[in-house]
Amino acid sequence: MEKNVVIDMRNIIKKYYIGQPNELQILNGISLKVNEGEFVSIVGESGSGKSTLMNIIGALDRPTEGEYFLNGRDISQLDDEELSNIRNKSIGFVFQNFCLIPRTNALENVELPMLYAGVSKKQRRQKAMELLNLVGMGERYTHNPNELSGGQKQRVAIARAMINDPSIILADEPTGALDSKTGHLVMDIFHKLHKEQKKTIVLITHSKELAKETERIITISDGQVIGESAGEINVNS
């Protein structure tokens, strides 16, 4: 059965300082597709354009040229409010530096996107606790970020990314600030979300080893896709 395409990028170009002597083109016509339920990695060295690409995939920035369809909707020309709404409801972000609010406990950090969406306190708490339990942090829900290890912070961040049931989880170097053992534990959670929750996951990384843990590896260099290959996890598992 043919799967829905959730990310469809067509000839994406991104320029900065347009029309100025220091005009800079970072993305040079990137086209890629990600299907519903896929676990895909985008891998590239520093300066390859992967962070710029991540910002466009996550509706944090707009392409200069090209088309970007997210869940079938052309978001290339949407205004800031519409993009903000898409980010809150359709994309769950997991960043290398966790991005948790320091003086707010784990439960309240996870609830935050639902608060912005106007969901009642009772519903927020129930869903947040479900997700904290899912990532193995149910017993630490009253702890503030400074009372948690790096791996625990990242688990809270993953729970927060899931709170509005997004169609895509976008993970930018999610294990970059962690030791290898803790990084593997965090990757195990992504595998669980992919397999059990059927989530579409896009992993942005410089690590070829980490990329191998996904179904499909898209390699970029100098702002272009230079190759695609299969990862090591079984597509049909």
Side-chain angles (χ1 to χ4, degrees), residues 22 79 101 135 139 205 209 227:
N22 59 337
D79 63 30
I101 297 173
V135 299
E139 294 181 358
T205 184
E209 288 303 309

Side-chain angles (χ1 to χ4, degrees), residues 2-192:
E2 190 173 337
K3 292 188 176 181
N4 293 329
V5 177
V6 292
I7 293 171
D8 185 359
M9 308 188 92
R10 304 175 185 177
N11 198 31
I12 295 293
I13 291 171
K14 182 62 183 180
K15 299 178 183 178
Y16 294 98
Y17 315 117
I18 296 170
Q20 299 179 35
N22 59 337
E23 180 173 304
L24 189 62
Q25 184 162 318
I26 303 295
L27 300 181
N28 301 302
I30 283 188
S31 297
L32 62 87
K33 292 183 180 182
V34 177
N35 292 326
E36 183 179 12
E38 252 194 310
F39 192 172
V40 175
S41 55
I42 297 174
V43 65
E45 301 297 334
S46 240
S48 62
K50 66 182 186 298
S51 294
T52 302
L53 180 60
M54 188 277 295
N55 286 338
I56 293 174
I57 292 173
L60 295 164
D61 200 0
R62 294 181 177 84
T64 307
E65 298 175 32
E67 296 176 302
Y68 175 24
F69 293 87
L70 180 65
N71 293 318
R73 185 180 182 191
D74 184 359
I75 69 166
S76 307
Q77 307 300 324
L78 297 185
D79 63 30
D80 289 344
E81 185 177 345
E82 289 170 313
L83 288 177
S84 178
N85 192 44
I86 283 172
R87 286 195 299 271
N88 194 43
K89 293 183 178 177
S90 298
I91 303 168
F93 294 93
V94 181
F95 296 106
Q96 177 176 340
N97 59 354
F98 320 125
C99 294
L100 300 178
I101 297 173
R103 293 181 179 85
T104 303
N105 68 34
L107 180 66
E108 291 163 339
N109 264 287
V110 174
E111 285 182 315
L112 198 58
M114 269 191 147
L115 178 65
Y116 291 147
V119 178
S120 73
K121 184 174 181 179
K122 183 179 179 182
Q123 284 179 288
R124 294 198 313 262
R125 296 256 143 143
Q126 182 179 351
K127 183 70 180 291
M129 278 307 303
E130 283 176 12
L131 289 169
L132 284 169
N133 285 320
L134 179 71
V135 299
M137 288 296 292
E139 294 181 358
R140 307 298 298 271
Y141 74 96
T142 60
H143 290 67
N144 285 359
N146 66 350
E147 300 172 298
L148 302 174
S149 68
Q152 289 170 335
K153 290 176 189 175
Q154 198 59 294
R155 292 189 201 191
V156 172
I158 293 169
R160 181 186 56 193
M162 292 281 291
I163 195 72
N164 280 334
D165 195 25
S167 55
I168 298 163
I169 295 177
L170 187 57
D172 183 24
E173 300 281 10
T175 66
L178 308 174
D179 62 69
S180 59
K181 182 179 178 183
T182 308
H184 283 303
L185 293 174
V186 167
M187 284 300 293
D188 287 344
I189 294 173
F190 284 119
H191 289 301
K192 183 177 182 180

